[in-house]
Amino acid sequence: MLYPITLVEFPGGLQLHVPDPDQVKPIYDQLIASNPDTVFPFWARIWPSSLALTSFLQKETQWIRSKHVLEIGAGIGLPSFSISREASTLVISDYSTEAVALMEKNIEYLVLQHAKAIYLDWNHFPSDLTADTVLFSDINYDPEQFEALLTLIKQLLNKGATVIIATPERISAVAFAVKLEPYVSLSLLETVETAHQTMDIRIFVLSV
């Protein structure tokens, strides 16, 4: 693994191996100096939306208790790991192979026999992959991906899944949120406090 990891404890006593936040940027700077095409490891950070989704799911366990749960674009996968004891099965996915490797390490560390980590590109979503509840955290940041995401979300909803999205209220994502309105069964704000800021994160629960 390119980025050194450290064991971090989260609320509720959950411990996960995560990339050492003090080392990610210096190592990335070294990598990009030798290869300008190196992609920044956005997966390697716990983002406010991930914390908000975790908080929401721990309070609103009816969405995941005894359910088949899938998280897409999970990164470190904090929301999934935080509810792993409640879910019936758990599939945690990301487009980064490094993220998947770290999730596999945490699955082994937590001895989660009902969970697995998989590589997943949402532009090529497997037709046989189903879930009762699908989680997304801060995935609608690139307008070029909005149409692909909306198409996938509609497919998941039409298969009977409940889709839960946590997102900052970015101006660039307003058009994305508007297209979700017909499916919104619940919308609320979760306030997240980090070392650097306080941020309101919008939670959408979608269904048909």
Side-chain angles (χ1 to χ4, degrees), residues 57-152:
L57 294 173
Q58 289 177 340
K59 291 181 291 188
E60 303 277 349
T61 57
Q62 72 270 22
W63 304 110
I64 47 83
R65 186 186 304 118
S66 302
K67 305 287 189 183
H68 300 292
V69 178
L70 165 67
E71 184 173 2
I72 299 175
I76 292 169
L78 174 61
S80 289
F81 285 115
S82 75
I83 52 89
S84 61
R85 305 300 179 185
E86 297 278 356
S88 176
T89 63
L90 187 60
V91 178
I92 320 172
S93 69
D94 200 88
Y95 184 70
S96 165
T97 55
E98 278 197 281
V100 173
L102 183 57
M103 290 187 287
E104 288 174 338
K105 181 177 181 66
N106 281 317
I107 287 171
E108 181 179 3
Y109 174 72
L110 296 172
V111 196
L112 301 178
Q113 297 186 1
H114 66 309
K116 64 179 179 179
I118 64 170
Y119 170 87
L120 179 62
D121 178 353
W122 64 51
N123 292 289
H124 304 283
F125 191 82
S127 59
D128 59 346
L129 183 57
T130 60
D132 300 315
T133 302
V134 181
L135 309 176
F136 291 94
S137 174
D138 203 355
I139 43 76
N140 56 316
Y141 55 86
D142 181 2
E144 292 185 1
Q145 288 290 320
F146 284 0
E147 284 305 315
L149 273 170
L150 287 166
T151 297
L152 173 58

Side-chain angles (χ1 to χ4, degrees), residues 13 21 33 45 49 56 94 99 103 107 127 161 169 173 187:
R45 174 182 169 185
S49 290
F56 172 78
D94 200 88
M103 290 187 287
I107 287 171
S127 59
E169 296 191 292
S187 173

Side-chain angles (χ1 to χ4, degrees), residues 7-29:
L7 195 60
V8 173
E9 184 165 334
F10 295 93
L14 173 68
Q15 290 186 323
L16 293 176
H17 293 93
V18 304
D20 187 332
D22 293 329
Q23 298 192 53
V24 170
K25 190 176 186 305
I27 292 174
Y28 170 73
D29 288 342

Side-chain angles (χ1 to χ4, degrees), residues 10-11 45-59 78-79 137-138 165-169 188-203:
F10 295 93
R45 174 182 169 185
I46 301 290
W47 295 92
S49 290
S50 179
L51 294 169
L53 183 56
T54 297
S55 175
F56 172 78
L57 294 173
Q58 289 177 340
K59 291 181 291 188
L78 174 61
S137 174
D138 203 355
I165 299 174
T167 177
E169 296 191 292
L188 55 82
L189 287 176
E190 283 278 346
T191 300
V192 175
E193 294 186 9
T194 68
H196 305 292
Q197 62 183 332
T198 299
M199 180 180 294
D200 287 334
I201 303 296
R202 176 67 60 181
I203 305 289

